[in-house]
Amino acid sequence: MIVTATPTPPAMVMPPTTAAAMTAFVLPRTTTMPSLAPPLVTSSVLTTSSTGALDKLAMSTSSISPHSILDNNDKADTPQFLRTDSLTSAGLVDPTSALVPLEKSLRYKMGLPMFQKVTPIASPQQQQTSRCRVVGHRGALYEHLENTREAFLKCAEWNCDAVELDVFRLDDGTLIVFHGAGNDRNPGQLKGYTIGKEAAEEKKIMDLKTFEETQQLQFNPNYAEFGCPSKEIVAARIPTLRQVLVDLKESAPTMEIKIELKGEGVTVPTLEMVDELDMVRQCSFSSFDHTKIAEVRKLHPETYADGSYVYRTGALYDSLPSDFVARAQSVGASEIHARYDTLSLQVVQDIHDAGMGSMGWIRGPVGMGSDISSKYLDAGKEEGSTLYSMLMETGVQQLCVNKPNIMMETRLQQQKQQDMIQMMAHVSTNSKMNSALALQQ
């Protein structure tokens, strides 16, 4: 079968983590594929090290959509496969590149172009990519146990923009930072998450009466969701919200603390504690239970001069209903926090058009491992720069990730890449101006 690309694919910039050499590379107009190969789209990339190559990059005027490269014998409107190309050390397309069915392509699902346009003038989405804020999901959970003081302080050490944590209220009134097993409709379960009689009795964290009882809990070093070393799990203890807030107020006063409200009776005491510590500007409040967001807004409708809310809130979504923006607006949410694989160019644009902030959140280690290995075959071999770069292309303003240090590095490389393009464009422009002046003389 013959797969024909028309027009000639524009140049792309390879993510720094996969670039083998700074070599200009242009896809051939026609590529012959084995007879068994189905229709596909290529996602080849390139980099450049010369002003001449940059001029070629700048000649690109549009991105190639997934519909641009089709089997010329296929009458379907949409191709069925995407090819995840990589470059060899010689700068050539690796002939062993994997074929990814479109239903297993996260890039295709998010509506991202198969070929990213690269011009000397960065597009708004390219500019947003380098500004995307990094949020540590439950802290640095691959370094220390999730939702512990150590995990959050590690994020502060890395200069993350924000951390996300989960809060429950115990019967004695103590607010604790804890996640537990279970889901958002049945949160805080101890079975599997901890070991001991409480776990055997299938209790929840809310069943414990006092903070002292929580300090007797032993976390399960064999729990698959824990990404950190076993020694960190064994030594970990559940912290209070006050302890975490004081730690971060002192060590990272500019780092946002995104507090997810879980369980019953948690909203009012959490707001009171944040007020008491004078940390309203540093904290925001989110929940899958949107009645909690409405409760925050009812108690605190205050706005700044520009109309933005003083008490910032995020409406969390696991899946997006058709009216997700309207629902978030109806409870007075400041932001919409969508699961990473519900993001798309259109979803992010809809959020921003409504004057709201956007954040994508990553699932826990087990969920992400399953997604990447079987659901989205173009998202990299594990959660990391390939996935983060792809998500940033949507223009989302924040990403809540399990590996914030990797996300920080990815963002830095994206910024360096944009800086390089701008610098080369400046050099190319000056060279042309000098040549023109020389001709006039």
Side-chain angles (χ1 to χ4, degrees):
M1 122 179 16
I2 303 297
V3 179
T4 303
T6 306
T8 301
M12 290 188 62
V13 171
M14 170 174 283
T17 54
T18 57
M22 299 294 285
T23 306
F25 174 76
V26 179
L27 286 174
R29 182 174 295 273
T30 301
T31 304
T32 302
M33 300 297 296
S35 58
L36 295 179
L40 57 85
V41 194
T42 63
S43 59
S44 297
V45 290
L46 63 82
T47 58
T48 178
S49 60
S50 70
T51 56
L54 180 71
D55 290 339
K56 294 179 182 179
L57 290 180
M59 289 174 64
S60 168
T61 58
S62 63
S63 299
I64 293 184
S65 73
H67 307 279
S68 299
I69 303 179
L70 294 170
D71 181 352
N72 54 11
N73 295 317
D74 195 336
K75 298 180 180 180
D77 291 332
T78 307
Q80 300 170 350
F81 283 75
L82 170 127
R83 195 178 81 205
T84 54
D85 289 333
S86 58
L87 296 187
T88 66
S89 59
L92 302 176
V93 173
D94 184 351
T96 65
S97 300
L99 291 174
V100 177
L102 289 187
E103 66 269 18
K104 291 185 178 293
S105 167
L106 181 60
R107 170 173 287 276
Y108 186 80
K109 181 179 181 181
M110 294 191 299
L112 297 174
M114 296 300 111
F115 292 88
Q116 180 187 9
K117 180 174 70 174
V118 177
T119 64
I121 305 302
S123 68
Q125 286 176 342
Q126 289 170 331
Q127 293 172 4
Q128 178 58 46
T129 292
S130 62
R131 293 197 301 264
C132 186
R133 299 177 75 242
V134 179
V135 184
H137 184 213
R138 308 175 198 167
L141 59 76
Y142 277 97
E143 300 290 324
H144 302 282
L145 185 65
E146 63 181 37
N147 277 323
T148 58
R149 299 171 73 178
E150 294 80 6
F152 299 124
L153 289 171
K154 177 59 71 171
C155 285
E157 179 184 322
W158 288 337
N159 293 316
C160 294
D161 300 296
V163 291
E164 181 270 348
L165 54 82
D166 307 281
V167 174
F168 287 91
R169 181 182 181 275
L170 300 176
D171 277 357
D172 67 358
T174 305
L175 296 170
I176 61 167
V177 179
F178 182 80
H179 188 273
N183 54 41
D184 297 302
R185 291 170 297 281
N186 191 25
Q189 295 185 43
L190 299 179
K191 186 175 182 179
Y193 202 83
T194 62
I195 55 179
K197 65 176 184 178
E198 293 83 2
E201 295 171 359
E202 300 191 8
K203 288 186 175 181
K204 299 179 183 180
I205 194 68
M206 299 85 80
D207 295 328
L208 303 185
K209 304 297 182 182
T210 67
F211 178 65
E212 286 70 26
E213 288 182 78
T214 70
Q215 299 306 285
Q216 303 305 312
L217 292 175
Q218 295 290 321
F219 291 99
N220 182 3
N222 296 317
Y223 187 60
E225 193 74 13
F226 295 152
C228 64
S230 295
K231 65 178 182 178
E232 296 289 338
I233 301 171
V234 172
R237 291 295 179 270
I238 296 173
T240 66
L241 177 61
R242 181 179 294 274
Q243 287 173 328
V244 173
L245 292 180
V246 170
D247 282 347
L248 298 181
K249 182 179 182 179
E250 294 175 351
S251 63
T254 62
M255 185 169 73
E256 182 185 354
I257 305 166
K258 292 181 175 292
I259 302 172
E260 184 181 337
L261 304 170
K262 290 185 176 289
E264 299 300 322
V266 70
T267 305
V268 172
T270 298
L271 290 169
E272 291 175 346
M273 181 174 292
V274 169
D275 285 337
E276 176 193 339
L277 295 173
D278 192 23
M279 295 181 67
V280 173
R281 287 184 177 272
Q282 192 173 354
C283 296
S284 60
F285 312 90
S286 65
S287 185
F288 285 98
D289 179 358
H290 294 178
T291 63
K292 290 182 171 62
I293 302 303
E295 187 178 6
V296 173
R297 188 58 62 229
K298 182 178 179 180
L299 293 168
H300 290 288
E302 304 95 326
T303 60
Y304 292 111
D306 63 0
S308 61
Y309 288 113
V310 175
Y311 289 74
R312 293 165 293 161
T313 55
L316 278 159
Y317 286 100
D318 185 55
S319 59
L320 294 178
S322 59
D323 59 345
F324 72 97
V325 171
R327 293 190 188 193
Q329 289 176 319
S330 70
V331 295
S334 313
E335 301 176 349
I336 290 178
H337 299 171
R339 196 175 74 180
Y340 79 100
D341 57 350
T342 65
L343 293 175
S344 69
L345 291 172
Q346 188 60 57
V347 163
V348 172
Q349 188 63 54
D350 289 346
I351 295 172
H352 296 170
D353 286 349
M356 305 179 75
S358 61
M359 187 183 84
W361 57 271
I362 296 292
R363 302 176 67 194
V366 172
M368 290 309 302
S370 174
D371 282 0
I372 289 174
S373 64
S374 61
K375 192 173 182 180
Y376 304 119
L377 303 185
D378 58 349
K381 295 182 179 179
E382 60 182 15
E383 181 186 339
S385 59
T386 298
L387 173 65
Y388 299 156
S389 295
M390 195 182 302
L391 293 173
M392 285 192 286
E393 283 185 52
T394 65
V396 69
Q397 294 169 332
Q398 309 167 85
L399 283 175
C400 183
V401 300
N402 297 323
K403 298 179 179 180
N405 55 328
I406 303 299
M407 172 72 182
M408 296 280 285
E409 293 174 6
T410 303
R411 185 179 64 178
L412 178 61
Q413 291 302 320
Q414 293 277 3
Q415 182 61 62
K416 287 182 177 179
Q417 182 174 282
Q418 289 299 325
D419 290 346
M420 180 185 72
I421 293 172
Q422 298 289 349
M423 178 190 68
M424 294 172 64
H426 180 71
V427 170
S428 178
T429 300
N430 286 345
S431 177
K432 291 177 181 178
M433 291 178 63
N434 291 336
S435 298
L437 290 174
L439 290 174
Q440 292 176 2
Q441 294 175 355

